[in-house]
Amino acid sequence: MRISKVTTKSGDKGNTSLGNGERVSKSHLLINLLGDIDELNSQLGSAISSCKSELISSELQSIQQDLFNIGGESSMPNEEISLLKDDRIAFLEEHINKMNKELPPLEEFILPGGDELCSRLHIVRAICRRAERSCVTLITKESIDKNWLTYLNRLSDFIFVLVRYLNQNEGLDETLWER
């Protein structure tokens, strides 16, 4: 898809076009999901801008590609298009397991925080959870059989574990929730 014109004025009355040309209300559940994924991807880009590790930046950028793949699939409803591959879920799971092996057990909730990167990643995680809820709402209203929900669920877990891992490597203590 090539975008040659950004301002089309075709959305001035509250409708927008999907990738397949279908027009839907900007309040459509699919558009809500796309908006949440766009915000998630944008905040992830913001977090990457404060990342000093080329390896972590590269992995996070690959996740940005995954989010665009979800957006691409969801903008083409009723099309047999598969951009988000199942191996990307396995990628997240493998990294979660690898990092978790180096972390102490989590015995209590922790307060979001850490250095600038980790603080931004906590925001990314919260937005990812919202995108996950939007995906659940969409899937329950329209029968969509895609791996988006599983991916978003794993992604929020990955981000949480990544933050713990990065904070530990920086020697930053976790602040536990005080009941």
Side-chain angles (χ1 to χ4, degrees), residues 14 20 31 35 67 91 101 111 127 134 143 147 165 168 171 173:
N20 63 2
I31 302 305
L67 295 171
F91 165 86
K101 286 180 182 174
L111 300 182
I127 295 168
S134 292
S143 62
N147 54 2
Y165 179 81
Q168 177 179 280
D173 291 331

Side-chain angles (χ1 to χ4, degrees), residues 23-41:
R23 304 265 320 152
V24 297
S25 170
K26 289 183 178 184
S27 66
H28 191 283
L29 295 175
L30 185 55
I31 302 305
N32 287 334
L33 174 61
L34 283 167
D36 287 344
I37 289 172
D38 184 33
E39 182 182 357
L40 171 60
N41 210 344

Side-chain angles (χ1 to χ4, degrees), residues 9-68:
K9 300 181 183 178
S10 63
D12 291 352
K13 297 197 187 225
N15 292 314
T16 190
S17 289
L18 298 176
N20 63 2
E22 179 184 347
R23 304 265 320 152
V24 297
S25 170
K26 289 183 178 184
S27 66
H28 191 283
L29 295 175
L30 185 55
I31 302 305
N32 287 334
L33 174 61
L34 283 167
D36 287 344
I37 289 172
D38 184 33
E39 182 182 357
L40 171 60
N41 210 344
S42 297
Q43 286 290 348
L44 186 53
S46 175
I48 292 168
S49 73
S50 66
C51 184
K52 296 174 183 114
S53 165
E54 190 146 330
L55 175 63
I56 299 293
S57 290
S58 176
E59 289 175 350
L60 294 175
Q61 285 173 344
S62 76
I63 290 168
Q64 285 188 293
Q65 296 291 337
D66 295 339
L67 295 171
F68 263 99

Side-chain angles (χ1 to χ4, degrees), residues 61-119:
Q61 285 173 344
S62 76
I63 290 168
Q64 285 188 293
Q65 296 291 337
D66 295 339
L67 295 171
F68 263 99
N69 285 334
I70 292 171
E73 284 184 19
S74 60
S75 72
M76 304 281 280
N78 307 316
E79 302 281 330
E80 288 298 320
I81 182 171
S82 182
L83 300 173
L84 181 67
K85 307 299 181 205
D86 286 335
D87 68 340
R88 296 302 296 162
I89 295 168
F91 165 86
L92 294 174
E93 290 172 347
E94 289 168 19
H95 280 72
I96 290 167
N97 293 334
K98 181 179 172 186
M99 291 183 291
N100 250 337
K101 286 180 182 174
E102 298 185 34
L103 293 170
L106 190 60
E107 298 178 14
E108 188 57 79
F109 289 109
I110 59 172
L111 300 182
D115 63 11
E116 183 178 357
L117 172 61
C118 292
S119 296

